[in-house]
Structures are given as C-alpha cells and as structure tokens.
Amino acid sequence: MDWLLEANKRKETMLRELQELVAIPSVLSDDTTPTAPFGKEVKQALDWFLKKGKTQGYSVKNVGDIGGHLEIGQGEELLGILGHVDVVPVGSGWTKAPFGGEIENGRLYGRGTIDDKGPTIAAWTALNMVKEAGVEFTKRVRLIIGTDEESEFRCMDRYFKTEEMPSIAFTPDADFPIINAEKGIATLVFSTFSMHEDAILESFIAGHRTNMVPDQATAILNGQLAEWQEDFKAFCKEHNVTGVVEQHNGSTELTLNGKSAHAMEPEDGVNAGVLLALFLKDRLEGDGQKFVSFVADTFYQDSRGRKLGLEFMDEQSGDTTFNAGIIRFEKKKTAMITVSMRYSISYPFEEKIAAYQLKDFVLDIASNSPPHYVDGNDSFIKTLQNAYEKQTGDKADLLAIGGGTYARVLDKGVAFGMLFPGEPDVAHQADEFVDIDNLVKATAIYAEAIYQLACKK
C-alpha cells in the first residue's frame, strides 16, 4: 500500500477537520461543570472526536468526561495511540487568528495545530486509511483522546483507573524519529511569608503556566517615578524587548513583553518576569528588593540551575533545565516563584533535593513525575524505526526530550513525531502552525506504523 498517496487523497478532508478542531478554544478553564471538568470548550473538543468515531463506525467510549477512545480491530493485545485536544493559553504576539485555522504558504495556523490537534488528526486519518484498506487486524487499535495534557495529566490518571493499559503505545506529540527517553518533570515552589512589605513595590505578576516561558510581566509601583521611564525604555531596547509605562493615580505600572516558549527549553524564549525583575533589582529597597533580586540573580541567563546548585546532565538526556513559569509578589501575601524542572534520566533527585538549602525562601516540591525510558533494542522500537525509515528514507535515530508526553503514563510507550528533524518548534508560541506537507507525510508514517504493528501482513 502506498500510504503517502492515500494520505494525499485525504488531505482536503484532513485540513477541514483540523480547522474544525482548532476553532474550538479548548483551553483549561475554571468555568466547569460535572460533565465538563476542565471547561466546556475542552469537553466540546473531546465530544468532536467521539462523534467522529461513531460516524466512522468505531467502538466509542466516553470515560468520565475527561477522555475517551475510538477502537477498531481484534485480538488480545492492544495498540494505543494517545493524543490530546486541550491547548495552552493563546498568549500575546499573534498576527493570525489563534483559533482561525488560516492557511497561508503551505501552513495551517492556530493554537494546537502542532501541539497536539494536528498530530492527533494525522493519527486519526492514518487509522481510517488502514481501516479502509481492508486489511486484517491482529491487535485492537485504540485512539485515546486526552483533555488535560497541558496541565496535570488528570485525564490519564482518571482514564487508566478503569481502562485497559495498552500492550504498546505511541503518542504523536513531540518529535520524529522516536523519543524513547523523557526527562523527569518536577514543579518546584520557592516561597516566603516574610517578604510582603515594600515602600515601592505593590505587586509583581508574570506567567500563568509552569510549562510556558512567561511572555509578559507587570509590576505596580507606588509613586509617579518619572525618572524611571527613560531608564525602562533604554533597558527594553538593550534587551531587544518591548515595554509600556502607564501612570494610575499616584502609581506606576510597568509592563514588559518577552517571548513565550515551551518550558523544556527555556532558552528558546525570553522570560519577561526575569527581565523585569532584573530591571527593578537595583531600584527597590526592603522585601521587594529581596524578591526581585532572588528572581534575577537565580534565573537571569541561567536555565540550567547552576546558581541554584541543582545543575546536572547525562549522555542519555542532556541538561537538567529550570523554567520560572509563574512569578508572584503581592503586599501582605506570600511571595512565590513556581518553577518547572526538567531533570535528566539519571538525576539523583531525592539526594539533591534533600541536601538543598536556601536562605530566605522555602522550597516545596508540588509535583514530581519520574523520567520515562524504553530500551532502544525493544522490538516495538525497531518496528517504529522501520516504519519511519520506509516512509522517509532517513535514519530513525532515538531521541531524549525535556518535554512530558503521555508516553510517561504508559507501561511501554514512546513519543513518535510529528515534528520532523530541522523543523522549527513553534509549540506554545505565537502564530503556532503545522506544515501541511509534513502533516500529510506524518499521516503516511502513522499508517505504516499501525499496519506493521497491528495488522496481518
């Protein structure tokens, strides 16, 4: 079967379905109901897939309104394909409509197009291709749809309480060729109850998610502070960012705009909170000064934890990274910096954290997901490599990442695409897009993989 030819035949349908799915603004929301625990738009995106599955004749199941699956095939073994329909917040800096699905110059734009609605549509299309090819399935194949991947994986925690763990599985939610190693992910909270008084600093806010580099930071200061305005403009120019100064009834509001990026590589972005803290560091006194100094001294030009004394790297997975994703200071409230730590496969986490000491701030571990690894010599990995190489003609090297995918909740699972080598990673960024030719090519790879893993030859 020429899977690439078949994928091209379905290109227009695939793009139309992706536009429909992108149009649903499925960002985690506080506006929840018992049947929409992560918000009505997230539930709407889940329902969209379940309805598609029913229409196409799949066995469909809604699991607690937090996930679901579409299943086909037969046999005792189960091949899982795990995608998600939730997306990160839009952020700033877009030149395209974030939920518009605009097509221009061979790209389809919108939040979720590459993470993870586009790849999930590619897997869905591939599964339909294999189904319609009339081959005999030797395994059941289940496309599992999650709804809380960008936050806390609560969807998969709930799903696998009642549903079968796949024998083997992949998630189309990272890079090609194959990611068989994922770093550990811990959420570190640096906080203090003692730093809440300052003559100048009223509040400092940056970031909303630990898995994103904050692209905007705002500080509210007492006084007109006219002498700071030119300094702030010069500072922004020096650091190649933009900023705004506004006066409000005896107070001054400084807003600095950075660049968002995924927390697995903070250096791909510009952390607005860290930069604004750097500007304020030598201009404040008291508790506010201690707070911004800690932020600036710890995280400016250091995403590897060297200033924290928590740095580590190994050959399997590279550097441990730290992203100060949420930064908060309010008078008479706890000052807090919430950090996403992506630690190397062999990182001695318990030993390092137990020995850690810090002046003025308290360190708490809010969450910790251990590293995930599948042996590269496993027959499952070898089959995926063969599928990739057959469809691309390129060598299928094994990779390690700092991102967290659904692979880490599986007994035997890996991340398999769909970002190709050398392709820009625009996940979590403004003007996120999917390359249409690559979307079609990924669909052919997924069809080949499903065929080799779950069908009679």
Side-chain angles (χ1 to χ4, degrees):
M1 179 68 71
D2 188 337
W3 297 118
L4 184 58
L5 176 63
E6 294 301 313
N8 271 297
K9 288 180 183 177
R10 290 162 173 78
K11 181 168 72 172
E12 294 307 315
T13 298
M14 184 160 46
L15 294 179
R16 183 180 68 252
E17 290 187 335
L18 179 54
Q19 287 174 318
E20 290 176 11
L21 193 55
V22 166
I24 303 171
S26 48
V27 179
L28 177 69
S29 170
D30 293 329
D31 183 17
T32 64
T33 68
T35 58
F38 304 131
K40 64 180 182 180
E41 287 86 6
V42 175
K43 178 59 164 41
Q44 183 185 352
L46 171 64
D47 288 343
W48 184 95
F49 251 116
L50 299 183
K51 183 178 179 181
K52 286 286 181 183
K54 287 180 182 177
T55 302
Q56 294 292 338
Y58 287 80
S59 173
V60 174
K61 185 173 183 180
N62 179 332
V63 180
D65 293 309
I66 54 76
H69 62 246
L70 328 172
E71 184 178 307
I72 193 171
Q74 58 188 4
E76 292 185 8
E77 293 186 89
L78 177 65
L79 167 63
I81 305 169
L82 283 72
H84 67 89
V85 291
D86 60 308
V87 298
V88 297
V90 170
S92 60
W94 287 73
T95 64
K96 312 290 185 185
F99 302 108
E102 179 181 343
I103 294 175
E104 182 180 295
N105 296 326
R107 297 172 171 179
L108 195 156
Y109 288 87
R111 178 58 86 217
T113 49
I114 198 66
D115 182 20
D116 186 43
K117 292 179 176 180
T120 305
I121 287 288
W124 158 243
T125 305
L127 190 54
N128 284 323
M129 286 162 49
V130 178
K131 170 177 173 281
E132 293 164 16
V135 298
E136 182 181 345
F137 285 91
T138 58
K139 293 183 179 73
R140 289 169 293 130
V141 184
R142 182 177 288 183
L143 178 60
I144 302 171
I145 307 299
T147 59
D148 187 42
E149 195 274 349
E150 297 293 1
S151 186
E152 299 178 34
F153 280 35
R154 289 168 292 182
C155 51
M156 290 300 106
D157 290 342
R158 166 63 184 85
Y159 181 88
F160 285 116
K161 283 181 179 177
T162 58
E163 303 306 306
E164 179 182 356
M165 175 63 68
S167 313
I168 52 176
F170 66 82
T171 177
D173 189 22
D175 298 346
F176 280 128
I178 299 163
I179 294 166
N180 69 320
E182 294 188 8
K183 293 178 183 177
I185 302 177
T187 301
L188 313 184
V189 181
F190 298 90
S191 62
T192 176
F193 288 93
S194 63
M195 294 184 183
H196 53 72
E197 292 293 346
D198 188 270
I200 298 177
L201 185 62
E202 284 288 329
S203 70
F204 187 111
I205 297 175
H208 301 282
R209 295 280 189 92
T210 58
N211 64 349
M212 297 177 70
V213 174
D215 63 357
Q216 189 173 85
T218 301
I220 297 178
L221 311 160
N222 281 320
Q224 294 297 309
L225 306 176
E227 67 277 11
W228 289 16
Q229 295 189 35
E230 290 304 316
D231 290 346
F232 186 61
K233 291 178 183 177
F235 178 88
C236 290
K237 183 176 181 180
E238 177 188 353
H239 291 275
N240 197 29
V241 296
T242 60
V244 177
V245 181
E246 296 180 351
Q247 305 291 341
H248 301 287
N249 298 323
S251 67
T252 299
E253 181 175 311
L254 301 181
T255 299
L256 189 147
N257 301 305
K259 177 187 175 185
S260 183
H262 197 292
M264 67 181 176
E265 184 41 271
E267 291 182 6
D268 288 344
V270 177
N271 193 312
V274 172
L275 271 186
L276 185 55
L278 182 68
F279 173 77
L280 294 173
K281 175 185 169 183
D282 296 325
R283 293 174 168 81
L284 302 178
E285 296 179 355
D287 290 339
Q289 196 276 335
K290 290 179 183 178
F291 174 76
V292 296
S293 291
F294 175 76
V295 174
D297 293 345
T298 305
F299 298 104
Y300 178 61
Q301 294 185 332
D302 184 6
S303 64
R304 267 48 184 172
R306 290 182 289 270
K307 296 171 185 175
L308 286 169
L310 294 173
E311 72 274 19
F312 189 89
M313 71 88 64
D314 60 26
E315 281 192 25
Q316 285 177 302
S317 54
D319 288 335
T320 295
T321 63
F322 296 80
N323 176 58
I326 303 173
I327 306 172
R328 296 286 187 273
F329 178 99
E330 292 184 70
K331 271 193 177 181
K332 303 187 186 305
K333 293 187 179 180
T334 304
M336 187 176 299
I337 304 100
T338 308
V339 175
S340 179
M341 174 188 182
R342 312 288 171 121
Y343 60 92
S344 311
I345 298 296
S346 60
Y347 190 92
F349 186 84
E350 300 297 335
E351 176 187 331
K352 281 266 199 180
I353 297 299
Y356 188 69
Q357 293 184 345
L358 185 66
K359 182 182 178 182
D360 294 326
F361 280 78
V362 173
L363 171 60
D364 292 305
I365 310 302
S367 65
N368 181 26
S369 176
H372 176 76
Y373 179 73
V374 178
D375 192 318
N377 292 316
D378 192 284
S379 61
F380 169 52
I381 299 289
K382 296 297 184 184
T383 302
L384 291 180
Q385 287 179 309
N386 182 270
Y388 179 84
E389 291 173 357
K390 184 174 180 179
Q391 289 298 316
T392 66
D394 298 325
K395 190 172 184 298
D397 294 322
L398 301 181
L399 308 173
I401 61 166
T405 74
Y406 282 151
R408 65 178 55 240
V409 306
L410 299 163
D411 289 347
K412 185 184 286 188
V414 298
F416 188 43
M418 63 157 270
L419 201 68
F420 286 90
E423 201 178 358
D425 185 357
V426 292
H428 297 198
Q429 296 187 28
D431 286 344
E432 179 182 345
F433 68 85
V434 64
D435 181 281
I436 293 172
D437 288 343
N438 286 343
L439 181 69
V440 173
K441 184 163 65 170
T443 302
I445 295 170
Y446 293 140
E448 182 70 47
I450 294 166
Y451 174 70
Q452 289 196 31
L453 289 166
C455 299
K456 188 174 182 179
K457 312 302 185 291

